[in-house]
Amino acid sequence: MYPSLKALISQTLDIECFLEKPKDRKFGHFALPTFSLAKTLKKNPPEIAQDFAKKLATLAEIININVVGGYVNFSLSDGFLQECVKNFLTPKFLKNTKEKILLEYVSANPTGPLHIGHARGAIFGDCLARFGEYLGFEVVREYYINDAGTQIENLGRSIYIAGRHLFFNEAYNLPEDCYRGEYILELAKEAKEHFGEECFESEKNIADLSVFGKDKMLEEIQANLAQIGIVFDNFVSEKTLFKEWDNTLAQLQKGNGVYELEKKIWIKSSEYGDEKDRVIVRENGEPTYLAGDIIYHRNKFKRSFDKYINIWGADHHGYIARIKAAIEFLGYESKNLEILLSQMVALLKNGEAYKMSKRAGNFILLKDVVEEVGSDALRLAFLSKKADTHLEFDVEDLKKQDSSNPIYYINYAHARIHTLFEKSHQDFQSFQGQSLEGITESLRDLLVLALNFSKVLEDSFSQRAPQKMVEYLRMLSSEFHHFYNEEKILHTENEKQILSVLKIVAQALFQGLELLGVQAKTRM
């Protein structure tokens, strides 16, 4: 609805217009602000609004025009709404850009099971991918495996020490940089089954235990993600990419992006906003952690996508300038890389801090929370606020069967509509809509809100703000529940007309939930 309405008004007024929702519903369905046009048109906003109102009055699609200061407020005609219903949720409003996006998210180190902090970025990324694909973009989901460097070696050493404790009765004394938690003991037992007890007889086997542990953890991470409906198209290994390091360094040197000092090689990241230059090769000739990320981003840009999106934890904020600098020195445009930050989550249970997992050590496992509240409730909770803001929620609230629980409230609206169809002996799928001519004001308002789905979807994706879709679904559910409680629906003269609108409402709820990765319920 919104794209066609905006195009119609822009063509009529010969301007690129922006429409917004009036703060007070009595003013109409939409408002056209004129303040930004005052300088261009050399008139004050109220004058412009009056001129625009006269031109819009010639359109059959618009009714009840009123001017308030610099705003032109108006409602939509039944005929226009009827046309919008015909095209609702069809590909006609979707972009056909064929723009290719490489979306990288999660990328947690494969040294342990996923904790609840990883889940927020995972769900955020998955939701953006779903939105983008529905809007016609080609989105590739990618997971970058940090399988090079000391963290993997430390995982192998942790398993080795656990094995010496379990099978050779040695004290279980883990060094500071080793990994803790019952999962390490589990990995040692699995390694014994795979290699035999002899793998713990010598430290020379730590390398094999490292690879074994990494592979097992990656399998578990994939299983954890599958629990919340997340799959990836690509898994890219940092270790495999290191064969490209010499060529990457040569490209940085060609771009005058590095220099040698104190037997180290530094990248000139301060030239692009970093607080200081960074070491990418140590005195011993070994590339640093940053070097691995530079290789990976060179590999990304060589694959020629139109847009690159990374979702990182908020603790990586200082890393942005370094990567952007490297991209520029490599000869690519850093503006094509968009980095989104995801804040950590504070989890409560009955108002108290959620219990840490013994299996993971000092973390709350994603798996544990999913088993307690379910994937749908968790996804909606994580998507209810902007990803870069703090999020705190109580898992007990996600179990409540009332309006305070958003997943219940939205699903209840969807299920209620299906129940109405059953009671009216109408098949929801095959039901043909009735003419909307002469519908009541309350029904028209509900329909306009439902038809605004496409605008909400585009805003949610372009602004990287899935919470806008969650807010919209809650609002649409609220408006429906209010209508349901105030109006008689079944066994009325206009029953089929009402059901025609309610089917649109249900379709908007269903599609919105599906794009959020949530299954809509038809019975509750």
Side-chain angles (χ1 to χ4, degrees), residues 148-191:
T150 57
Q151 75 273 11
I152 301 299
E153 182 183 342
N154 290 339
L155 175 63
R157 185 170 298 280
S158 305
I159 298 169
Y160 175 78
I161 294 171
R164 296 293 300 180
H165 168 67
L166 289 171
F167 312 121
F168 294 88
N169 297 317
E170 289 189 2
Y172 193 34
N173 297 322
L174 288 167
E176 184 82 19
D177 53 4
C178 280
Y179 296 97
R180 287 156 175 77
E182 290 183 355
Y183 79 95
I184 295 295
L185 296 168
E186 293 169 12
L187 285 173
K189 292 174 185 175
E190 290 182 55

Side-chain angles (χ1 to χ4, degrees), residues 7 38 189 217 264 305 312 340 370 394 406 501:
K189 292 174 185 175
M217 283 298 95
K264 304 171 189 172
F305 284 81
W312 289 350
L340 307 172
V370 172
D394 194 311
V501 173

Side-chain angles (χ1 to χ4, degrees), residues 72-92:
V72 184
N73 302 299
F74 59 90
S75 296
L76 303 176
S77 70
D78 295 346
F80 178 71
L81 293 176
Q82 189 82 58
E83 286 302 309
C84 291
V85 166
K86 291 179 183 177
N87 299 325
F88 185 61
L89 295 184
T90 66
K92 290 185 179 179

